[in-house]
């Protein structure tokens, strides 16, 4: 580090003597002490009292400094922390502006023409069924969703979606499968094994049943593990993938329309359905602006070409604080402008008097009938699977 | 330069108003926008009054496309916001035909709904229309700005120019008589600038009653306008037909360049 002593400034202290120097300021500890306190020619005792002393000191040390003062500098991380900060900002600035799955208008598929209300019922079914049905049904639903995604979505979309969801579900499956019975014995049932109590060993199953499915060193994959892992992994897969499928084939207005349709009876008990629907629509618009803002501010910082390696940890943190403060400020400006635009466009603050038009056709067609029949079939199969599949 | 079409926006042409209300008094039917001696000032935290607009008077005939020109910070957007009713003048009177629509400089501030169709229909929420009527208006408005193929597109996926067109379509769908447009081409590239300005021009040509006031500081956009108002330091300096205003500005520019070079 160079010895620069950039801002040792003592403004407006004319004819100030060394007697005015505070005792705490150790001038000898600096390597190149600049004679900033010149010996006075004349010291006027009364004048000295009136002078308001204002010290602003900044000091840095050089690598060649042998004095102990400079040792603290090496404890402040600079390089690695700053490089990772640079990476973080570059990652954010290069990220997609719409990380949440958005509507894909073309090619128009079978799912695009299904009524959004039916899609919502399907979503609910796909959340409940994996948890309440046989393992075969669970995996069946996963495979069904997998192939439906490939059939419905464009290649780049399904590859991206299925890749992420499969990875997440796979990790969950492995961790829970091996971890369910691999927990330390302290938290397990403390009953001693039969051999210790003088009981005969349990006879092996004639039907080939074995609680332990697989053993991997200290880890074991048991039937309990399989059950827990399959429920968690399948549920994760179906929840994420069905939501993705729904969002990519349904416009936000259609979703809002379906929600409003289901919530309409709640208006009788005073639920502000119109307000909820408007809020949902505004949020769906606003969320993309937030992501845009996060990305743009990061891009602004990256484009300044900051030499991160020269910054201390505190200075890097300071930039992050500035970054977050800027994001919030911009978001509030956006919110303010949007509310102004809403007023200019005729919104007077009452969701009941300002109608939200849902223009998408929602006639009940063949696609809806087929979809409903499939839903009934899948639900029936899931319910029966518990009885007939053992 | 055709000086006969130019006139100084002086108080002599616009007698001082008797009240600051927005009601129309002595304005003829073919005037869409009439501002008389409009003043606007703000008070700083220190209590200092800073004038933004000084005695601004302007009169824009119906069915025409006018531009409000001037350097940055001269008060164009403030005057437009006063005409739109977003701000109230400190003094003076303003008349603007109704219904009127205001389009913001940044389309991200104007477009409030997540998809194109929903956003264009948003402004119609204040009317009691059937779904069929709304659909027809949305379709016509999007057609006028050349965005009919994007009806179900997410706003997020549109370019700046496309968003700006959607914002204009939202204003057109309301069947407004006056369009107040605030520097719509600021964030756009050359192609989108021309696309947006042509979209406004076409929508005006297809309807005789619509008047548009377009705030800009790009002189090249004047060729699409019927008339223009030129502002400087919070004052309306000149108003008249587009060609004359263009000449006037060029004369000032050359005089300024000579002054620098001398």
């Amino acid at each position: 580090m160079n010895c620069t002593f950039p801002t040792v400034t003592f403004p407006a202290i004319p004819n100030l003597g060394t007697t005015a120097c505070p005792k705490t300021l150790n001038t000898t500890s600096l390597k190149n002490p600049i004679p900033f306190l010149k010996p006075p020619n004349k010291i006027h005792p009364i004048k000295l009292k009136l002078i308001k002393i204002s010290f602003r000191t900044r000091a840095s040390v050089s690598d060649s400094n042998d004095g102990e003062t400079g040792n603290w500098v090496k404890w402040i991380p600079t390089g690695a922390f700053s490089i990772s900060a640079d990476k973080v900002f570059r990652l954010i600035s290069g990220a997609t502006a719409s990380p949440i799955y958005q509507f894909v208008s073309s090619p128009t598929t079978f799912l695009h023409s299904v009524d959004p209300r039916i899609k919502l019922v399907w979503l609910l079914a796909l959340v409940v069924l994996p948890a309440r049905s046989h393992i075969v049904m669970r995996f069946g639903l996963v495979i069904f969703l997998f192939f439906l995604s490939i059939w419905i979505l464009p290649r780049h979309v399904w590859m991206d979606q299925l890749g992420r969801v499969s990875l997440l579900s796979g990790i969950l499956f492995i961790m829970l499968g091996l971890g369910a019975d691999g927990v330390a014995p302290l938290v397990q049932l403390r009953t001693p094994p039969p051999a210790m109590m003088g009981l005969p060993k349990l006879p092996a199953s004639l039907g080939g049943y074995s609680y332990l499915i697989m053993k991997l060193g200290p880890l074991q994959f048991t039937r309990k593990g399989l059950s827990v892992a399959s429920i968690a992994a399948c549920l994760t897969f179906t929840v994420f993938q069905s939501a993705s499928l729904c969002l990519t084939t349904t416009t936000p207005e259609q979703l809002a329309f379906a929600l409003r349709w289901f919530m309409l009876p709640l208006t009788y008990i005073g639920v502000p359905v119109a307000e909820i629907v408007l809020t949902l629509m505004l949020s769906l618009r606003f969320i993309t602006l937030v992501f845009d803002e996060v990305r743009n501010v990061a891009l602004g910082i990256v484009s300044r070409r900051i030499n991160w390696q020269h910054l201390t940890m505190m200075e890097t943190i300071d930039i992050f604080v500035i970054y977050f403060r800027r994001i919030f400020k911009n978001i509030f400006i956006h919110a303010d402008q949007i509310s102004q635009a809403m007023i200019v466009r005729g919104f007077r603050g009452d969701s009941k008097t300002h109608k939200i038009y849902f223009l998408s056709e929602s006639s009940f067609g063949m696609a809806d009938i087929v979809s409903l029949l499939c839903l009934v079939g899948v639900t029936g199969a899931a319910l029966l699977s518990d009885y007939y599949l053992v | 330069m055709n000086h006969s079409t130019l006139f100084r926006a002086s108080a002599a042409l616009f007698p001082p108003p008797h009240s600051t209300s927005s009601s129309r008094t002595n304005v003829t039917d073919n005037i869409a926008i009439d501002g008389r001696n409009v003043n606007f000032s703000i008070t700083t935290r220190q209590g200092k009054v800073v004038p933004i607009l000084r005695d601004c008077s302007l009169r824009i005939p119906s069915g025409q496309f006018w531009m409000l020109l001037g350097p940055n910070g001269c008060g164009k957007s403030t005057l437009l916001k006063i005409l739109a009713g977003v701000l109230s003048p400190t003094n003076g009177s303003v008349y603007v035909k109704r219904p009127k629509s205001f389009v913001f400089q940044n389309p991200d501030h104007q477009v409030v709904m997540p998809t194109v169709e929903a956003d264009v229909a948003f402004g119609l929420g204040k009317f009691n229309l059937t779904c069929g009527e709304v659909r027809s208006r949305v379709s016509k408005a999007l057609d006028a700005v050349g965005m009919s193929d994007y009806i179900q597109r997410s706003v997020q996926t549109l370019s700046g120019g496309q968003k700006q067109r959607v914002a204009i379509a939202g204003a057109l769908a309301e069947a407004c008589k006056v369009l107040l447009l605030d520097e719509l081409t600021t964030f756009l590239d050359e192609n989108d600038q021309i696309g947006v300005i042509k979209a406004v021009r076409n929508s005006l040509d297809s309807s005789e009653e619509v008047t548009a006031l377009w705030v800009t500081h790009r002189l090249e956009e004047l060729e699409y306008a019927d008339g223009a108002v030129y502002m400087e330091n919070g004052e309306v300096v000149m108003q008249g037909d587009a060609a004359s205003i263009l000449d006037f500005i060029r004369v000032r520019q050359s005089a300024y360049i000579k002054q620098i070079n001398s």
Side-chain angles (χ1 to χ4, degrees):
Chain A
M1 194 182 289
N2 295 321
C3 179
T4 51
F5 295 102
T7 52
V8 183
T9 55
F10 298 92
I13 313 173
N15 301 323
L16 182 68
T18 45
T19 49
C21 181
K23 285 176 185 174
T24 49
L25 187 69
N26 183 9
T27 53
T28 55
S29 62
L30 300 170
K31 194 202 171 190
N32 298 323
I34 293 171
F36 52 86
L37 298 173
K38 288 177 184 173
N41 297 329
K42 256 185 191 177
I43 299 170
H44 199 288
I46 300 166
K47 196 177 177 182
L48 193 63
K49 279 181 188 173
L50 294 172
I51 293 169
K52 189 180 175 184
I53 301 164
S54 157
F55 286 100
R56 277 178 63 221
T57 55
R58 276 180 66 188
S60 60
V61 290
S62 68
D63 290 334
S64 58
N65 189 7
D66 298 327
E68 290 190 359
T69 328
N71 287 346
W72 57 272
V73 174
K74 68 185 176 190
W75 297 105
I76 297 176
T78 52
F81 188 78
S82 302
I83 288 167
S84 55
D86 183 42
K87 275 183 184 170
V88 168
F89 280 119
R90 280 183 188 278
L91 199 70
I92 296 170
S93 63
T96 170
S98 49
I100 291 178
Y101 300 116
Q102 55 181 243
F103 179 65
V104 178
S105 56
S106 64
T108 310
T109 62
F110 163 77
L111 270 187
H112 283 78
S113 50
V114 173
D115 193 286
R117 289 165 290 188
I118 297 172
K119 285 184 200 170
L120 281 190
V121 179
W122 259 107
L123 277 182
L124 181 69
L126 287 169
V127 171
V128 176
L129 292 181
R132 307 291 303 165
S133 57
H134 193 268
I135 189 168
V136 176
M137 271 307 294
R138 273 177 230 150
F139 283 110
L141 283 172
V142 168
I143 292 163
F144 162 70
L145 273 176
F146 193 90
F147 284 110
L148 189 67
S149 304
I150 292 173
W151 177 41
I152 296 292
L153 301 173
R155 185 185 163 86
H156 65 278
V157 179
W158 70 253
M159 280 187 81
D160 181 45
Q161 287 186 4
L162 287 178
R164 288 187 210 181
V165 178
S166 303
L167 181 71
L168 178 67
S169 306
I171 291 169
L172 266 176
F173 186 84
I174 293 166
M175 286 180 71
L176 286 169
L178 296 174
D181 264 340
V183 194
L186 276 175
V187 293
Q188 295 260 355
L189 195 65
R190 301 190 73 182
T191 314
M196 283 185 74
M197 295 191 290
L199 295 170
K201 203 178 173 184
L202 284 170
S205 167
L206 294 171
Y209 174 84
S210 168
Y211 181 66
L212 185 73
I213 298 170
M214 200 168 64
K215 199 163 167 57
L216 284 169
L219 302 168
Q220 47 186 3
F221 190 57
T222 60
R223 285 186 183 270
K224 182 177 151 191
L226 176 66
S227 176
V228 172
S230 68
I231 288 173
C234 291
L235 199 59
T236 307
F237 188 92
T238 52
V239 166
F240 277 99
Q241 197 50 35
S242 58
S244 306
L245 264 177
C246 184
L247 287 171
T248 42
T249 57
T250 320
T251 61
E253 292 90 84
Q254 286 174 330
L255 277 178
F257 162 74
L259 270 176
R260 190 180 69 167
W261 192 83
F262 283 114
M263 287 170 73
L264 268 180
L266 300 175
T267 50
Y268 296 110
I269 55 165
V271 176
V273 173
E275 211 169 317
I276 292 171
V277 168
L278 179 66
T279 310
L280 173 74
M281 297 282 279
L282 288 172
S283 326
L284 287 168
R285 167 76 185 111
F286 199 69
I287 201 160
T288 53
L289 286 176
V290 172
F291 286 123
D292 259 349
E293 210 52 62
V294 169
R295 201 178 54 149
N296 288 342
V297 180
L299 198 63
I301 292 172
V302 170
S303 65
R304 299 291 168 98
R305 298 178 65 84
I306 295 169
N307 199 345
W308 295 94
Q309 281 176 315
H310 286 192
L311 300 183
T312 62
M313 191 176 75
M314 287 309 290
E315 284 167 335
T316 310
I317 289 170
D318 197 36
I319 289 177
F320 271 97
V321 171
I322 291 166
Y323 172 64
F324 286 114
R325 209 170 54 192
R326 189 74 220 174
I327 288 170
F328 277 99
K329 197 178 169 188
N330 288 2
I331 285 170
F332 283 125
I333 290 170
H334 266 303
D336 183 48
Q337 294 285 340
I338 282 181
S339 61
Q340 213 175 71
M342 285 173 74
I343 293 165
V344 165
R345 296 180 72 182
F347 183 74
R348 294 288 172 266
D350 187 5
S351 313
K352 284 176 193 164
T353 53
H354 194 99
K355 283 168 79 176
I356 298 285
Y357 296 103
F358 296 108
L359 303 175
S360 308
E361 301 280 355
S362 58
S363 54
F364 213 74
M366 185 54 78
D368 301 311
I369 296 167
V370 172
S371 182
L372 271 179
L373 286 174
C374 286
L375 179 65
V376 172
V378 169
T379 313
L383 291 173
L384 293 174
S385 66
D386 261 351
Y387 294 101
Y388 293 100
L389 297 170
V390 182
Chain B
M1 184 166 35
N2 182 11
H3 287 281
S4 62
T5 53
L6 289 175
F7 58 90
R8 290 270 167 193
S10 61
L13 277 164
F14 301 97
H18 297 292
S19 70
T20 54
S21 70
S22 62
S23 64
R24 195 174 188 189
T25 51
N26 298 322
V27 184
T28 52
D29 279 343
N30 63 343
I31 298 297
I33 298 168
D34 186 28
R36 297 184 183 196
N37 306 97
V38 178
N39 284 278
F40 183 75
S41 52
I42 53 161
T43 309
T44 60
R45 283 179 190 173
Q46 290 78 30
K48 195 182 166 190
V49 177
V50 180
I52 309 293
L53 297 177
R54 296 185 193 93
D55 275 335
C56 290
S57 297
L58 74 163
R59 188 177 282 188
I60 294 165
S62 285
Q64 292 198 5
F65 185 18
W66 277 56
M67 291 196 174
L68 188 54
L69 287 148
N72 286 334
C74 71
K76 305 183 295 285
S77 295
T78 309
L79 181 58
L80 200 75
K81 280 183 180 172
I82 287 172
L83 295 174
V86 178
L87 296 173
S88 301
T90 317
N91 256 315
S93 70
V94 167
Y95 165 76
V96 180
K97 257 188 190 174
R98 282 176 185 272
K100 61 187 176 187
S101 284
F102 182 83
V103 182
F104 284 79
Q105 184 177 17
N106 185 348
D108 277 334
H109 296 158
Q110 176 88 12
V111 179
V112 295
M113 289 283 119
T115 53
V116 171
E117 186 183 47
D119 185 77
V120 177
F122 179 79
L124 305 175
K126 56 180 178 269
F127 307 122
N128 197 17
L129 301 172
T130 62
C131 259
E133 277 178 285
V134 174
R135 198 170 286 123
S136 156
R137 280 194 185 201
V138 169
S139 169
K140 275 182 189 169
L142 285 173
D143 209 29
V145 295
M147 289 288 290
S148 44
D149 293 338
Y150 297 83
I151 199 155
Q152 284 207 320
R153 276 280 287 273
S154 166
V155 170
Q156 179 65 21
T157 61
L158 301 178
S159 70
Q162 287 169 334
K163 277 185 208 166
Q164 203 62 275
R165 286 188 216 189
V166 172
I168 295 166
L172 293 176
E174 292 176 40
C176 52
K177 293 211 170 139
V178 175
L179 274 171
L180 301 165
L181 312 157
D182 189 6
E183 294 195 42
L184 301 193
T185 51
T186 302
F187 302 123
L188 310 182
D189 63 16
E190 202 178 2
N191 275 342
D192 275 341
Q193 278 174 32
I194 293 165
V196 168
I197 204 161
K198 277 186 176 169
V200 175
R201 184 73 251 187
N202 290 341
S203 62
L204 257 73
D205 291 342
S206 60
S207 167
E208 285 182 5
E209 284 202 333
V210 182
T211 310
L213 180 58
W214 172 288
V215 169
T216 185
H217 49 242
R218 293 179 208 270
L219 288 184
E220 63 271 21
E221 289 173 358
L222 263 175
E223 69 172 281
Y224 296 93
D226 299 314
V229 179
Y230 181 72
M231 286 183 74
E232 250 178 34
N233 299 322
E235 290 176 4
V236 172
V237 176
M238 198 74 78
Q239 75 174 61
D241 69 80
S244 310
I245 293 284
L246 188 61
D247 287 344
F248 171 75
I249 295 168
R250 284 197 175 138
V251 168
R252 282 178 83 97
Q253 277 178 339
S254 55
Y256 180 68
I257 292 165
K258 272 182 191 171
Q259 192 189 339
I260 291 170
N261 292 337
S262 63

